[in-house]
Amino acid sequence: MSMWSMLLRTLVLLVVEYGAVLLLRGSAPWIPVLLAVFVVGSGVLHGTDAEFTPRFAVALAAVGVVELAASAGALPDPPAIAAGPAAAVLLLVQVATLRRYVRRPRPRRRRA
């Protein structure tokens, strides 16, 4: 997989997260929005050799980023200040996991 594949997957996930934050700051119901983010987050590693754990980690990090970013505006100042670094850490985990599993070469299967 190439660097462009990783960048495209990261960009798709960031666009979905940004859209979900905008929806959650409005009057959208939160369960379908977070479920959609989870589904996209777990599906973004499709076509790689990633198993359940990295897919689940990327999906949970995506939901955490959306939840922190959406609630940061509604919280008083001290928790809102703490939400920024927490979202940054989750974004780093998400991008590092994507980078690791997208850039890893697939094992070749032997033909019988």
Side-chain angles (χ1 to χ4, degrees), residues 78-94:
I81 292 171
V89 167
L90 286 175
L91 279 172
L92 283 174
V93 166
Q94 174 181 306

Side-chain angles (χ1 to χ4, degrees), residues 9-81:
R9 291 168 195 258
T10 304
L11 182 65
V12 165
L13 195 53
L14 289 175
V15 167
V16 168
E17 289 171 350
Y18 182 72
V21 168
L22 292 179
L23 285 173
L24 288 178
R25 286 189 178 169
S27 61
W30 62 274
I31 293 177
V33 172
L34 292 181
L35 182 62
V37 170
F38 188 86
V39 168
V40 171
S42 65
V44 83
L45 285 173
H46 182 71
T48 64
D49 62 339
E51 297 292 332
F52 175 77
T53 305
R55 290 176 185 256
F56 197 73
V58 169
L60 279 183
V63 170
V65 166
V66 169
E67 190 63 34
L68 285 170
S71 64
L75 296 174
D77 288 335
I81 292 171

